[in-house]
Amino acid sequence: MCLQLLSLSPAGAQAVTGPKQVTVEQGSSLAVSCSYKPRYKLNSKYWCRKNSLWPCLTYIIETDGSEVTVTQDRVSIRDNHTANSFTVTLNSVTPGDAGQYSCGVKKRVGINRWHSTKVMVSAAVSNTTEDSNLSPLTTNPLCLRD
Ligand SMILES: *[C@@H]1O[C@H](CO)[C@@H](O)[C@H](O)[C@H]1NC(C)=O
Ligand SMILES: *[C@@H]1O[C@H](CO)[C@@H](O)[C@H](O)[C@H]1NC(C)=O
């Protein structure tokens, strides 16, 4: 049973493709685009958090199969039927957002198709370095002349 399900995963990974991993700076916005086979154009697309090899049981956000943008809290999802791809956006990224996610296509019959992406969150660029570079300038007598 276990082996059978696992052996089906590679097929699912081919129907939906996307980045293996993305790095986003803390506080900024993350955008992940996933492509799908044209035959899934009108299927619902979803984004979910993954804790294991198993498919997601609940979705963070999903489309109804149309190109209408769906937004919930910091997350939005938008399908593009022309490009055969959909984009998930996550705003105001926090360290807690780091982890494994899946972008997927819901199937009415049979198992869903999905692609897994690792999201890594980098520390926000420090202001301190910039400040210490700026301070000498503002106190530089040359700048204050006149
Ligand atoms: C959808 O994708 C097509 C082709 O890449 C692009 O020209 C179009 O601007 C996209 N539509 C939206 C709403 O982003
Ligand atoms: C540095 O900090 C100031 C004040 O907190 C903020 O307005 C500014 O956007 C920051 N700059 C960068 C590059 O993060």
Side-chain angles (χ1 to χ4, degrees):
M1 174 82 175
C2 246
L3 286 173
Q4 196 181 2
L5 264 173
L6 289 176
S7 68
L8 284 171
S9 292
Q14 284 164 4
V16 181
T17 58
K20 268 209 174 84
Q21 66 177 47
V22 288
T23 303
V24 59
E25 191 179 300
Q26 185 181 333
S28 65
S29 293
L30 166 76
V32 175
S33 290
C34 297
S35 301
Y36 52 83
K37 294 265 173 68
R39 64 171 172 277
Y40 296 124
K41 215 181 273 286
L42 300 176
N43 290 58
S44 168
K45 315 300 186 309
Y46 65 82
W47 175 246
C48 67
R49 193 154 190 163
K50 244 168 104 71
N51 293 315
S52 65
L53 285 171
W54 302 102
C56 295
L57 296 177
T58 57
Y59 312 122
I60 294 171
I61 200 160
E62 61 184 289
T63 72
D64 62 1
S66 75
E67 292 183 306
V68 171
T69 304
V70 180
T71 305
Q72 212 174 301
D73 300 325
R74 296 184 292 133
V75 193
S76 74
I77 187 168
R78 180 190 200 137
D79 196 354
N80 185 327
H81 291 169
T82 311
N84 290 314
S85 72
F86 58 105
T87 302
V88 175
T89 309
L90 174 63
N91 293 320
S92 307
V93 171
T94 69
D97 291 325
Q100 287 283 347
Y101 292 82
S102 292
C103 53
V105 168
K106 276 169 91 174
K107 289 185 66 181
R108 288 178 195 87
V109 180
I111 61 162
N112 292 339
R113 303 299 192 192
W114 69 89
H115 168 82
S116 292
T117 297
K118 183 181 185 180
V119 172
M120 293 186 296
V121 179
S122 66
V125 173
S126 172
N127 235 341
T128 332
T129 322
E130 226 168 35
D131 285 347
S132 57
N133 284 341
L134 280 171
S135 306
L137 269 179
T138 47
T139 53
N140 189 327
L142 290 173
C143 297
L144 297 172
R145 214 159 49 182
D146 283 355

